[in-house]
Amino acid sequence: MGNKQTIFTAQQLFDRYRDLAPQLVPLDYTNHPDVKLPYELIGSMPELKDNPFRQRIAEVFSEDGEGNMTLDDFLDMFSVLSEMAPRDLKASYAFKIYDFNNDDFICKSDLEKTLNRLTRNELTEDEVRMVCEKVIDEADLDNDGRLSLEDFQHMIVRAPDFLSTFHIRI
Amino acid sequence: MLLLGLTLLLTAAAAADLPDTGAPPLLGPGLGFSPSVSASASAPPLLLLPQPRPEYGAPGVALARSAAEEPAVPAEEEEGPHHHHGGGYRVVQWEWSYVQTPYIIAIWLLVASVAKILFHFSQRFTTVVPESCMLILLGLVLGGVVLIANKKQLYQLEPALFFLFLLPTIVGDAGYFMPARLFFDNLGAILTYAVVGTLWNAFCTGFCLYAAKLLGVIDERVQADLMDFLLFGALISAVDPVAVLAVFEEVHVNDTLFIIVFGESLVNDAVTVVLYKVYISFVEVGVENVQTADYFKGVASFLIVSIGGTLVGLVFAVILGFITRFTKKVRIIEPLFVFLMVYLAYLTAELFSLSAILSMTFCGIGANKYVEANISQKSRTTVKYTMKTLASIAETIIFIFLGISAVDKSKWAWDTGLVSCTLVFIFVFRAAGVIGQTWVLNRFRLVPLDKIDQVVMSYGGLRGAVAFALVVLLDGEQVKAKDYFVATTIVVVFFTVMFQGLTIKPLVDWLKVPRSTSRKPTINEEIHERAFDHILTAVEDIAGLQGYHHWRDKWEQFDKNYLSKLLLRKSVYRKSELWEAYQKINIRDAISVIDQGGNVLTSARLSLPSMASRASFPEVTNVTNYLRENGSGVCLDLQVIDNVPGAKVEEDTETHHVLAENLYKPRRRYQSHYSRHFMPLGEKERQDREVFQRNMKSRMETFKSTRHKRHKKERSLKKRRGSDAKEDGSDKPRRNVSWQDKNPVVVPVESEEEKGEHSDPEKEEDVGITFVARKAETPKQRPKSVPAALDGSPLASPSSPPSGDSHLPWKGSVGSPPPCVSVEANKIIPVDLQQAWNQSISSLESISSPPVPAEPVHPRVSALSRLGGPRPASYTPPGSTAGSTSSIGAQVLQGPFCFPERNKKEEEEEEEEGGAVQEMQPLMSSLRPPGSLMPPPAPPPPGSAPGQAGGGNPCVYLRSLVMAPSPGSGEPHSRGPTQL
């Protein structure tokens, strides 16, 4: 997979990006570099209807944090998830996805949100709390009751084939 | 001795069989142990059960029959003189022919099991030599004995027995406990290797053998043409699941590698079955009569056999899930349904000549999730153990019989050319096939298989009993070279199982193949795995790809919306899988706490790969899970180091670590001794004990976190708030120990003391190093710990029935969630609500801590007795200054020491403590008062001079500990091993 294929992929991605909103994205992109796809467009894709993380992904990868994605953001997203991306980068983005309140720590409320999304709010509050405590407990190395990026990375390093699953083939 | 006796029995049985050979259909021992005369059935002999003889149609009437009918049976007459002692009523009779069949079977099972025991006597031996090799050797010996005794081989691996009984047990076990996700993640690779690889092997081996025959390498006597060789190639080329399991279980390669080889061995069954049948039919009609259409029929047949087999399996999986949904009232037969349906899936597939292995595997994989959720915890355990037992014994019998079958002169039609060519070809083509396919696969795989993986995969292409059974099934009339093929197959099987099985472990070591990462799957991983799935699906969807994640997501939706609703109980399906996983992990934690003491043998041998055989493990859910389980003990080391927070790594951490290591072993042994004695006690005691341990654990945890916080505070005042909150919370649990304590004077001393004592056995050795390191901190800690203890105690008295709120601090601690589940593990009450478990905990707690309410005046007694009595007695009294300093010293020592060891240590600790309490409680409560009144003659050094202890005189302290308990006769007995 040489250079060639990467370019080709980028072209494909651009097509895809444009397909999402042909009326907004001009074909000749160079003249309008700051076009953004509003989150509503991405979030309303039928495939993503059930996905609990759609908003979060858009927010994390978009520069403005609102979920409105430029082409650069769009490409960034795929770079992070590509096979070539270093593990730390992946880990930091995964961490960001979990970090709902953007305070650089995964705290209990973040985890509760994650859990509720994963379980579609089927657990009771107590159950969620218990699981969250267990999670924090398992990974919290400095015992401050929340997970820092270091905690998170450490946990992921311990599970060798963990991040290896965190990429897609484009 | 035992073995000898068994052998004698065996020969006796064989001798008794001897007369039968004249009339095989009538007196055949049945169940596959029939004399080899009747072995060459051309069609799979479906009738396995002993043909019911008319005379014995109703076995229940043995007594009545024995009196009158016996002489009337003419067939019995050559059984020996026993029947002809004379007329009239005989008090004792020889009823061999009546019990013969089950008797022989039972004897064989016994031989197999005893053989297993014997192999595991020598640990060093079993690490080097795989069990399968030993079993084959044993089979050879037994076969030799029978041969010498009878001049004729009576036993052999009967294909029908193998395919209908032995193989299903193994495949059923493998399928049911197959790590589904791993399997489907690698499904592409597995299918490729299984289908393309097997076809490649079969054709290449067949054609090349034919070429060798044409070239004259293979002797003229081997009368075989192209079809025969292709047939032989087909049956010899399939990797055998039994052999792969037996060998790979002991090698512990990483999960991916294992699942690929093992999955291939399961799935290639369809290919083998079809090829075998197609060739057989070709051989029957003759090559010249084969039309082009037949080849296409063959391809169609492959599709039908494989897809049909899979579908049958899935249908049965759905039925099984559906049935278990309604077994709430009849829990006792739940396991039976599992066995029956899985077995029926196998038989049904066999009935329609579909791929039975595929059917069974998919039935197991498909049903596992729903069944496990539906049936009770006990049923789960039953299913697990029974499956493992059956599979293990079936495997043993298969290998023994392989050995025995080899000792049969009538079978050995040796041709060096054929044998060596076959060996070379299967090896070369296996390697070539693997390399070629991997090259293609790696273009599509996210995680490519590297060269080492390929070597192991090539080398792990073991042939086994399936090939042997298939070759025995050949019709000697049509396949002229059958005897040669049989002999060659035996050699190939022996070579692969014994030589490759023996060398694969060194090879894996030498190549440094990544081993299975032995660790518990944490709840974190569960969550992140799931979250990653969602994220990736989302990204794939955004990119407009319909990739793997997309389909998996679709499947999960389908499963959630329809299947789960149909197959799961209402109460269960409401819960998400994450919650399930969480509970499972908790249950396992709880079980491991108990089992830790329970099976010292297991834990002591954890690191020995030879113990990996299915039978020997308490917590095996499947092979890979087993590997993980296995790690919980072994990997402790790593975890310990891992868990030390970077900021807090002290120089002495490693020293602690080393010390801790040294201290482990005696303790563990001690515990197990204790537990073995203790286990037979009733359910209730066990429960009490467990709850007690839970309490201890949570107390330990809170203590630790408190300790920890303090260090933190000293370091950074920033985090003061959070840690304070936690500290406050964590004091509450501690009051569980001293909650009856209304005497404020005692409080500081006692709580400290108690803290110190938690680390009891480790402390002695730690004294020197840690104390010095921390000495400066002691003044700071003092004020903090006292208020903590003080504000714990006033609150204490009302706390006996913990409400939901008072549990909060518990939950803040590490050990807190487990109590609920550990209770559940015993009581099998699905814990749906927090409230529910609160109640159960509180009720149990009141059961578990009777000593405290019983003696409200002596709270310390219970606390002290729990902690081993004698020492507190000796050094508490100094009290005011020295006592408190020393206990601070102890505390300081204990904190940093215990903290890194979180998981394991505390379990061990409370295991011991919990045990100790139970054992000593009565003793101590009576014993304590004199101790407190009159301190033992040797007051321990640390009490009088902490500096001295800190100066590194652990020996003195230790000795004092050992000597102190002289008043208590029971103490030295129980504490002694720990201390020394």
Side-chain angles (χ1 to χ4, degrees):
Chain A
M1 336 210 163
N3 202 19
K4 198 173 170 188
Q5 196 177 348
T6 317
I7 293 167
F8 181 63
T9 312
Q11 180 61 43
Q12 268 186 335
L13 284 177
F14 173 66
D15 291 345
R16 176 66 195 171
Y17 180 70
R18 199 176 161 275
D19 283 349
L20 288 177
Q23 71 280 17
L24 289 180
V25 185
L27 244 166
D28 185 12
Y29 185 74
T30 39
N31 297 331
H32 308 270
D34 51 354
V35 174
K36 284 183 181 172
L37 277 189
Y39 168 69
E40 291 74 41
L41 248 175
I42 296 175
S44 61
M45 285 170 66
E47 297 95 329
L48 288 177
K49 183 167 50 86
D50 293 322
N51 201 301
F53 286 98
R54 58 183 187 279
Q55 187 175 4
R56 196 59 210 149
I57 292 170
E59 281 171 11
V60 165
F61 285 101
S62 63
E63 229 164 291
D64 59 0
E66 300 285 316
N68 306 319
M69 299 186 85
T70 63
L71 178 61
D72 280 346
D73 296 335
F74 199 70
L75 292 180
D76 276 352
M77 178 166 75
F78 290 105
S79 321
V80 168
L81 292 175
S82 78
E83 294 158 56
M84 266 67 109
R87 193 164 66 175
D88 282 351
L89 185 72
K90 283 171 188 287
S92 75
Y93 270 95
F95 182 83
K96 274 186 196 167
I97 291 179
Y98 289 123
D99 181 19
F100 283 87
N101 53 12
N102 299 324
D103 64 350
D104 291 333
F105 285 99
I106 300 182
C107 51
K108 242 174 217 173
S109 65
D110 293 332
L111 275 174
E112 277 166 19
K113 275 183 196 145
T114 312
L115 261 181
N116 280 332
R117 278 165 200 240
L118 284 175
T119 58
R120 285 155 224 251
N121 296 318
E122 275 169 9
L123 295 182
T124 65
E125 277 181 35
D126 286 335
E127 287 165 351
V128 169
R129 203 173 55 223
M130 282 164 66
V131 175
C132 287
E133 273 156 12
K134 177 101 183 165
V135 167
I136 290 190
D137 197 67
E138 272 176 1
D140 186 15
L141 297 182
D142 45 13
N143 266 27
D144 55 356
R146 51 189 189 171
L147 305 184
S148 63
L149 181 59
E150 286 76 31
D151 290 336
F152 189 76
Q153 277 173 336
H154 180 265
M155 178 187 72
I156 277 179
V157 169
R158 254 176 52 197
D161 47 84
F162 202 44
L163 267 191
S164 66
T165 58
F166 196 53
H167 52 209
I168 58 173
R169 183 177 286 270
I170 301 164
Chain B
M1 258 332 260
L2 190 50
L3 197 61
L4 190 67
L6 281 172
T7 323
L8 285 178
L9 247 178
L10 200 68
T11 20
D17 272 347
L18 200 52
D20 298 350
T21 46
L26 188 61
L27 286 174
L31 272 176
F33 296 94
S34 56
S36 48
V37 179
S38 63
S40 59
S42 58
L46 289 178
L47 281 179
L48 269 198
L49 294 168
Q51 289 85 352
R53 289 189 267 160
E55 306 94 320
Y56 300 149
V61 294
L63 276 177
R65 177 182 53 78
S66 59
E69 293 171 25
E70 191 68 26
V73 182
E76 298 279 308
E77 282 173 2
E78 60 262 42
E79 280 288 313
H82 311 275
H83 298 294
H84 301 286
H85 285 310
Y89 183 79
R90 282 158 296 164
V91 181
V92 178
Q93 294 175 48
W94 179 255
E95 293 283 2
W96 171 248
S97 60
Y98 179 58
V99 297
Q100 187 186 34
T101 305
Y103 204 86
I104 294 180
I105 294 173
I107 292 291
W108 274 114
L109 291 177
L110 187 65
V111 171
S113 315
V114 171
K116 256 187 139 78
I117 297 177
L118 291 180
F119 294 150
H120 289 291
F121 264 137
S122 165
Q123 295 185 15
R124 210 171 35 162
F125 190 62
T126 42
T127 49
V128 181
V129 184
E131 200 178 272
S132 44
C133 294
M134 289 311 303
L135 290 173
I136 286 185
L137 287 180
L138 175 75
L140 286 174
V141 171
L142 287 182
V145 171
V146 174
L147 191 68
I148 292 167
N150 280 325
K151 309 281 182 290
K152 175 144 184 45
Q153 189 55 269
L154 293 173
Y155 305 101
Q156 73 155 356
L157 188 62
E158 203 66 18
L161 168 79
F162 173 74
F163 280 121
L164 287 180
F165 294 103
L166 296 177
L167 189 57
T169 53
I170 293 176
V171 174
D173 171 65
Y176 189 72
F177 294 112
M178 174 85 76
R181 184 175 171 128
L182 204 57
F183 182 78
F184 286 109
D185 278 355
N186 293 295
L187 190 62
I190 290 172
L191 281 179
T192 313
Y193 288 118
V195 177
V196 181
T198 309
L199 284 176
W200 154 270
N201 278 352
F203 283 121
C204 288
T205 312
F207 279 117
C208 287
L209 282 177
Y210 185 60
K213 164 94 162 124
L214 290 184
L215 290 174
V217 182
I218 295 173
D219 200 275
E220 286 299 314
R221 287 170 298 155
V222 183
Q223 299 175 339
D225 55 9
L226 180 59
M227 270 304 155
D228 294 328
F229 278 121
L230 283 177
L231 174 59
F232 181 62
L235 63 85
I236 202 72
S237 62
V239 177
D240 182 66
V242 183
V244 166
L245 256 189
V247 169
F248 272 66
E249 259 190 354
E250 301 188 14
V251 179
H252 298 187
V253 292
N254 57 60
D255 292 351
T256 314
L257 202 50
F258 175 79
I259 201 71
I260 287 179
V261 177
F262 180 56
E264 175 200 344
S265 71
L266 282 179
V267 177
N268 69 17
D269 174 66
V271 183
T272 316
V273 166
V274 171
L275 277 184
Y276 185 77
K277 284 187 181 146
V278 166
Y279 287 138
I280 288 267
S281 62
F282 284 2
V283 169
E284 274 170 4
V285 299
V287 188
E288 57 281 356
N289 298 329
V290 177
Q291 292 158 358
T292 327
D294 291 335
Y295 293 105
F296 291 104
K297 277 184 195 163
V299 175
S301 156
F302 167 70
L303 291 177
I304 291 171
V305 163
S306 53
I307 297 175
T310 310
L311 283 182
V312 167
L314 292 178
V315 166
F316 273 91
V318 170
I319 298 176
L320 175 55
F322 195 65
I323 288 182
T324 51
R325 196 183 154 180
F326 302 106
T327 51
K328 194 173 182 182
K329 299 277 167 58
V330 281
R331 291 282 193 199
I332 199 73
I333 57 168
E334 272 174 346
L336 190 63
F337 280 120
V338 179
F339 298 122
L340 280 183
M341 296 312 283
V342 173
Y343 190 48
L344 273 179
Y346 185 90
L347 289 184
T348 310
E350 198 90 301
L351 180 67
F352 295 109
S353 64
L354 304 171
S355 167
I357 293 186
L358 268 184
S359 165
M360 204 172 192
T361 309
F362 277 94
C363 182
I365 293 181
N368 183 296
K369 179 187 158 191
Y370 307 106
V371 171
E372 292 280 296
N374 278 338
I375 64 179
S376 71
Q377 174 71 28
K378 273 182 186 161
S379 302
R380 253 176 263 172
T381 316
T382 312
V383 168
K384 186 160 72 182
Y385 274 87
T386 316
M387 278 208 176
K388 298 290 172 197
T389 311
L390 286 178
S392 173
I393 203 68
E395 188 186 279
T396 312
I397 287 189
I398 286 174
F399 282 116
I400 288 190
F401 269 73
L402 269 181
I404 290 179
S405 307
V407 190
D408 187 355
K409 279 178 290 186
S410 65
K411 261 192 227 119
W412 281 94
W414 178 271
D415 180 68
T416 316
L418 180 63
V419 169
S420 46
C421 281
T422 312
L423 277 180
V424 170
F425 287 150
I426 62 165
F427 195 78
V428 168
F429 289 127
R430 169 82 187 170
V434 164
I435 291 169
Q437 292 169 76
T438 314
W439 184 74
V440 176
L441 278 175
N442 273 348
R443 321 190 105 208
F444 300 101
R445 279 181 70 87
L446 283 180
V447 187
L449 297 161
D450 58 16
K451 285 204 177 59
I452 290 177
D453 290 340
Q454 295 176 34
V455 171
V456 175
M457 279 164 61
S458 319
Y459 205 72
L462 306 169
R463 272 60 164 187
V466 171
F468 178 78
L470 284 177
V471 80
V472 169
L473 269 183
L474 288 178
D475 186 355
E477 297 286 304
Q478 281 161 345
V479 185
K480 300 284 191 306
K482 180 190 168 184
D483 288 344
Y484 290 99
F485 288 159
V486 171
T488 311
T489 309
I490 290 178
V491 172
V492 168
V493 169
F494 278 25
F495 179 81
T496 53
V497 171
M498 298 188 71
F499 180 75
Q500 296 188 5
L502 207 61
T503 48
I504 195 166
K505 206 182 284 178
L507 183 79
V508 164
D509 285 337
W510 183 63
L511 291 174
K512 298 193 177 60
V513 177
R515 298 304 186 90
S516 82
T517 54
S518 10
R519 84 202 135 73
K520 289 184 199 172
T522 59
I523 191 78
N524 268 303
E525 281 163 44
E526 280 290 334
I527 288 177
H528 296 318
E529 194 173 273
R530 230 156 269 272
F532 282 7
D533 283 351
H534 282 298
I535 293 167
L536 291 175
T537 313
V539 175
E540 268 187 5
D541 285 340
I542 291 175
L545 296 167
Q546 306 228 319
Y548 177 60
H549 298 285
H550 174 81
W551 289 112
R552 184 161 63 200
D553 195 56
K554 282 270 173 295
W555 162 254
E556 274 168 11
Q557 295 282 339
F558 174 73
D559 177 55
K560 187 158 192 64
N561 292 338
Y562 304 104
L563 271 184
S564 292
K565 277 183 187 156
L566 179 68
L567 299 182
L568 289 183
R569 277 188 199 149
K570 288 240 158 42
S571 58
V572 182
Y573 104 90
R574 195 183 66 80
K575 296 290 159 199
S576 81
E577 279 178 49
L578 260 179
W579 181 244
E580 289 287 311
Y582 168 74
Q583 288 194 322
K584 265 188 203 154
I585 286 172
N586 267 342
I587 289 176
R588 203 179 42 207
D589 282 352
I591 292 177
S592 73
V593 169
I594 297 170
D595 278 358
Q596 208 108 45
N599 38 36
V600 70
L601 287 181
T602 327
S603 61
R605 288 189 206 161
L606 267 180
S607 53
L608 295 182
S610 62
M611 287 304 285
S613 49
R614 264 169 296 208
S616 55
F617 261 85
E619 269 305 296
V620 200
T621 45
N622 57 40
V623 179
T624 34
N625 254 1
Y626 154 66
L627 298 179
R628 282 184 193 151
E629 293 290 346
N630 201 1
S632 66
V634 180
C635 261
L636 177 69
D637 245 6
L638 283 179
Q639 242 165 4
V640 167
I641 292 178
D642 280 353
N643 270 345
V644 177
K648 299 187 172 49
V649 175
E650 307 271 346
E651 283 181 359
D652 53 359
T653 311
E654 280 190 32
T655 323
H656 284 309
H657 183 57
V658 172
L659 289 178
E661 274 304 298
N662 292 337
L663 281 168
Y664 260 125
K665 282 145 203 161
R667 276 182 114 225
R668 197 179 283 167
R669 202 163 297 137
Y670 157 71
Q671 280 168 18
S672 76
H673 171 70
Y674 164 72
S675 281
R676 216 181 307 156
H677 159 69
F678 196 78
M679 284 313 252
L681 285 181
E683 179 78 4
K684 188 175 167 296
E685 277 108 319
R686 196 177 129 103
Q687 207 171 51
D688 290 355
R689 181 170 150 243
E690 188 185 342
V691 173
F692 187 85
Q693 285 164 352
R694 282 293 148 197
N695 290 350
M696 287 304 293
K697 179 169 180 168
S698 58
R699 245 174 270 139
M700 286 292 303
E701 283 309 321
T702 40
F703 163 67
K704 276 179 212 157
S705 56
T706 319
R707 279 285 318 145
H708 182 70
K709 289 294 175 266
R710 264 176 221 139
H711 287 301
K712 229 185 148 63
K713 250 188 248 178
E714 283 155 17
R715 262 156 247 260
S716 65
L717 289 169
K718 258 188 280 175
K719 301 185 175 168
R720 190 180 177 108
R721 204 183 60 85
S723 61
D724 263 341
K726 207 154 186 188
E727 198 168 37
D728 287 345
S730 54
D731 280 326
K732 287 180 193 166
R734 198 192 309 139
R735 89 196 164 214
N736 280 339
V737 183
S738 56
W739 42 306
Q740 300 289 338
D741 203 334
K742 282 157 190 134
N743 181 1
V745 181
V746 193
V747 170
V749 176
E750 186 207 326
S751 65
E752 306 255 330
E753 189 180 286
E754 168 194 323
K755 284 172 189 170
E757 276 155 6
H758 279 298
S759 66
D760 198 10
E762 290 85 15
K763 197 165 95 186
E764 299 89 73
E765 295 219 17
D766 275 8
V767 166
I769 300 118
T770 329
F771 196 89
V772 174
R774 304 274 178 179
K775 202 173 172 186
E777 290 173 321
T778 44
K780 279 185 203 163
Q781 281 179 351
R782 177 70 183 144
K784 272 172 200 147
S785 65
V786 171
L790 277 175
D791 62 34
S793 57
L795 291 172
S797 40
S799 73
S800 66
S803 63
D805 279 342
S806 77
H807 267 277
L808 279 174
W810 277 57
K811 284 187 265 151
S813 73
V814 178
S816 56
C820 96
V821 186
S822 69
V823 168
E824 186 201 327
N826 263 353
K827 298 189 75 178
I828 321 209
I829 300 168
V831 183
D832 284 334
L833 298 168
Q834 178 79 7
Q835 216 180 358
W837 79 261
N838 277 346
Q839 283 166 2
S840 64
I841 281 284
S842 62
S843 64
L844 282 169
E845 203 170 2
S846 56
I847 299 174
S848 74
S849 51
V852 179
E855 303 174 344
V857 197
H858 296 289
R860 289 174 62 193
V861 170
S862 61
L864 290 174
S865 65
R866 175 183 338 108
L867 298 162
R871 195 160 55 90
S874 59
Y875 86 102
T876 312
S880 56
T881 54
S884 58
T885 346
S886 79
S887 52
I888 285 176
Q891 179 193 3
V892 173
L893 297 176
Q894 195 263 346
F897 169 70
C898 254
F899 173 67
E901 306 261 341
R902 295 171 87 117
N903 294 332
K904 187 84 171 193
K905 177 120 288 182
E906 80 214 3
E907 283 170 6
E908 298 252 325
E909 210 143 303
E910 78 207 5
E911 177 83 5
E912 191 214 342
E913 277 160 348
V917 183
Q918 296 258 347
E919 205 174 52
M920 299 189 303
Q921 201 101 42
L923 192 65
M924 276 318 295
S925 51
S926 62
L927 211 140
R928 176 69 183 80
S932 63
L933 288 177
M934 188 177 14
S944 54
Q948 182 192 343
N953 199 356
C955 291
V956 180
Y957 185 51
L958 176 70
R959 212 175 304 134
S960 76
L961 283 181
V962 179
M963 282 159 57
S966 50
S969 58
E971 302 316 313
H973 170 66
S974 58
R975 301 293 295 183
T978 318
Q979 302 287 349
L980 297 174

